[in-house]
Short mmCIF file of all heavy atoms in Angstrom, two decimals:
data_model
loop_
_atom_site.label_atom_id
_atom_site.label_comp_id
_atom_site.label_asym_id
_atom_site.label_seq_id
_atom_site.Cartn_x
_atom_site.Cartn_y
_atom_site.Cartn_z
N GLY A 100 90.55 161.33 -79.86
CA GLY A 100 90.10 162.61 -79.24
C GLY A 100 90.47 162.68 -77.90
O GLY A 100 90.84 161.74 -77.26
N THR A 101 90.34 164.02 -77.46
CA THR A 101 90.85 164.30 -76.01
C THR A 101 89.83 163.72 -75.06
O THR A 101 90.22 163.29 -73.92
CB THR A 101 90.96 165.85 -75.80
OG1 THR A 101 91.59 166.26 -76.99
CG2 THR A 101 91.65 166.16 -74.58
N SER A 102 88.55 163.60 -75.42
CA SER A 102 87.53 163.09 -74.56
C SER A 102 87.89 161.72 -74.20
O SER A 102 87.74 161.33 -72.97
CB SER A 102 86.13 163.22 -75.13
OG SER A 102 85.83 164.56 -75.28
N GLU A 103 88.28 160.88 -75.20
CA GLU A 103 88.61 159.55 -74.83
C GLU A 103 89.91 159.51 -74.01
O GLU A 103 90.05 158.64 -73.09
CB GLU A 103 88.90 158.74 -76.19
CG GLU A 103 89.07 157.36 -75.84
CD GLU A 103 89.48 156.50 -77.12
OE1 GLU A 103 90.60 156.63 -77.66
OE2 GLU A 103 88.62 155.65 -77.39
N TYR A 105 90.64 161.64 -71.54
CA TYR A 105 90.07 161.82 -70.25
C TYR A 105 89.54 160.49 -69.65
O TYR A 105 89.70 160.15 -68.66
CB TYR A 105 89.05 162.88 -70.22
CG TYR A 105 89.56 164.32 -70.15
CD1 TYR A 105 89.46 165.25 -71.18
CD2 TYR A 105 90.32 164.71 -68.99
CE1 TYR A 105 89.92 166.49 -71.08
CE2 TYR A 105 90.70 166.01 -68.93
CZ TYR A 105 90.49 166.86 -69.98
OH TYR A 105 90.92 168.16 -69.93
N TYR A 126 85.18 173.86 -68.87
CA TYR A 126 84.69 173.05 -70.19
C TYR A 126 83.46 172.14 -69.54
O TYR A 126 83.75 171.35 -68.70
CB TYR A 126 85.86 172.21 -70.52
CG TYR A 126 85.78 171.27 -71.59
CD1 TYR A 126 85.18 171.75 -72.91
CD2 TYR A 126 86.38 170.07 -71.69
CE1 TYR A 126 85.16 170.81 -73.92
CE2 TYR A 126 86.46 169.19 -72.66
CZ TYR A 126 85.78 169.64 -73.87
OH TYR A 126 85.78 168.81 -74.85
N PHE A 129 83.42 167.90 -68.67
CA PHE A 129 84.13 167.14 -67.55
C PHE A 129 83.09 166.25 -66.87
O PHE A 129 83.32 165.16 -66.46
CB PHE A 129 84.83 167.97 -66.62
CG PHE A 129 86.04 168.62 -67.28
CD1 PHE A 129 86.41 169.90 -66.99
CD2 PHE A 129 86.91 167.92 -68.15
CE1 PHE A 129 87.58 170.60 -67.53
CE2 PHE A 129 87.97 168.43 -68.73
CZ PHE A 129 88.38 169.81 -68.35
N VAL A 174 93.75 173.30 -66.98
CA VAL A 174 93.54 173.45 -68.41
C VAL A 174 94.48 174.61 -68.80
O VAL A 174 94.25 175.69 -68.29
CB VAL A 174 92.09 173.83 -68.76
CG1 VAL A 174 91.99 173.89 -70.36
CG2 VAL A 174 91.16 172.56 -68.34
N ASN A 178 89.83 177.09 -71.18
CA ASN A 178 88.66 177.41 -71.99
C ASN A 178 87.48 177.55 -71.04
O ASN A 178 87.14 176.68 -70.26
CB ASN A 178 88.35 176.19 -72.89
CG ASN A 178 87.12 176.48 -73.78
OD1 ASN A 178 86.87 177.62 -74.09
ND2 ASN A 178 86.67 175.51 -74.42
N ASP A 206 95.51 169.67 -69.51
CA ASP A 206 94.80 169.68 -70.75
C ASP A 206 95.52 170.80 -71.53
O ASP A 206 95.29 171.99 -71.20
CB ASP A 206 93.37 169.89 -70.59
CG ASP A 206 92.68 169.99 -71.99
OD1 ASP A 206 93.27 170.36 -72.94
OD2 ASP A 206 91.47 169.68 -71.95
N VAL A 208 95.42 171.47 -74.96
CA VAL A 208 94.97 171.50 -76.35
C VAL A 208 95.05 173.00 -76.80
O VAL A 208 95.18 173.19 -78.06
CB VAL A 208 93.61 170.91 -76.61
CG1 VAL A 208 93.53 169.48 -76.27
CG2 VAL A 208 92.46 171.70 -75.86
N PHE A 209 94.98 173.98 -75.91
CA PHE A 209 95.16 175.36 -76.38
C PHE A 209 96.45 176.02 -76.05
O PHE A 209 96.63 177.27 -76.11
CB PHE A 209 94.03 176.20 -75.54
CG PHE A 209 92.57 175.79 -76.04
CD1 PHE A 209 91.63 175.20 -75.26
CD2 PHE A 209 92.11 176.32 -77.41
CE1 PHE A 209 90.37 174.89 -75.68
CE2 PHE A 209 90.75 176.04 -77.64
CZ PHE A 209 89.99 175.34 -76.87
N GLY A 241 95.91 167.53 -78.70
CA GLY A 241 95.35 166.87 -79.82
C GLY A 241 95.05 167.59 -81.00
O GLY A 241 95.24 168.88 -80.93
N SER A 243 92.43 168.38 -82.68
CA SER A 243 91.17 169.31 -82.91
C SER A 243 91.37 170.75 -82.64
O SER A 243 90.90 171.60 -83.42
CB SER A 243 90.00 168.66 -82.07
OG SER A 243 89.81 169.36 -80.94
N LYS A 244 92.27 171.06 -81.68
CA LYS A 244 92.54 172.46 -81.38
C LYS A 244 93.87 172.89 -81.98
O LYS A 244 94.07 173.92 -82.60
CB LYS A 244 92.45 172.78 -79.91
CG LYS A 244 91.14 172.50 -79.24
CD LYS A 244 89.83 173.29 -79.87
CE LYS A 244 88.58 172.72 -79.26
NZ LYS A 244 87.40 173.15 -79.88
N PRO A 249 89.37 168.96 -86.15
CA PRO A 249 88.34 168.15 -85.21
C PRO A 249 88.03 166.83 -86.03
O PRO A 249 87.72 165.83 -85.34
CB PRO A 249 87.18 169.04 -85.00
CG PRO A 249 87.28 170.11 -85.97
CD PRO A 249 88.73 170.36 -86.34
N LYS A 252 89.93 163.36 -85.28
CA LYS A 252 89.67 162.56 -84.07
C LYS A 252 91.00 161.89 -83.55
O LYS A 252 91.03 160.70 -83.37
CB LYS A 252 88.58 161.50 -84.40
CG LYS A 252 87.21 161.96 -84.68
CD LYS A 252 86.72 162.91 -83.78
CE LYS A 252 86.26 162.34 -82.48
NZ LYS A 252 85.87 163.40 -81.46
N LEU A 253 91.91 162.73 -83.47
CA LEU A 253 93.23 162.13 -82.87
C LEU A 253 93.79 163.07 -81.88
O LEU A 253 93.95 164.31 -82.02
CB LEU A 253 94.21 162.14 -84.14
CG LEU A 253 95.25 161.05 -84.17
CD1 LEU A 253 94.61 159.72 -83.99
CD2 LEU A 253 95.94 161.19 -85.52
N SER A 254 94.11 162.51 -80.62
CA SER A 254 94.72 163.24 -79.58
C SER A 254 95.69 162.38 -78.92
O SER A 254 95.86 161.14 -79.42
CB SER A 254 93.58 163.54 -78.61
OG SER A 254 92.69 164.41 -79.11
C1 PLP B 1 89.47 172.13 -72.38
C2 PLP B 1 89.26 171.41 -73.76
N1 PLP B 1 89.89 170.19 -73.92
C3 PLP B 1 89.75 169.50 -75.03
C4 PLP B 1 88.88 169.86 -76.06
C5 PLP B 1 88.85 169.17 -77.25
O1 PLP B 1 88.46 167.83 -77.20
P1 PLP B 1 88.45 166.89 -78.45
O2 PLP B 1 89.88 166.55 -78.78
O3 PLP B 1 87.69 165.59 -77.98
O4 PLP B 1 87.80 167.44 -79.62
C6 PLP B 1 88.07 171.07 -75.94
C7 PLP B 1 87.12 171.41 -76.68
O5 PLP B 1 86.29 172.38 -76.68
C8 PLP B 1 88.25 171.83 -74.65
O6 PLP B 1 87.57 172.90 -74.42
#
Side-chain angles (χ1 to χ4, degrees):
T101 315
S102 294
E103 188 184 65
Y105 277 114
Y126 183 45
F129 289 140
V174 185
N178 182 22
D206 178 334
V208 299
F209 289 109
S243 93
K244 305 295 172 195
K252 297 305 296 173
L253 211 55
S254 296

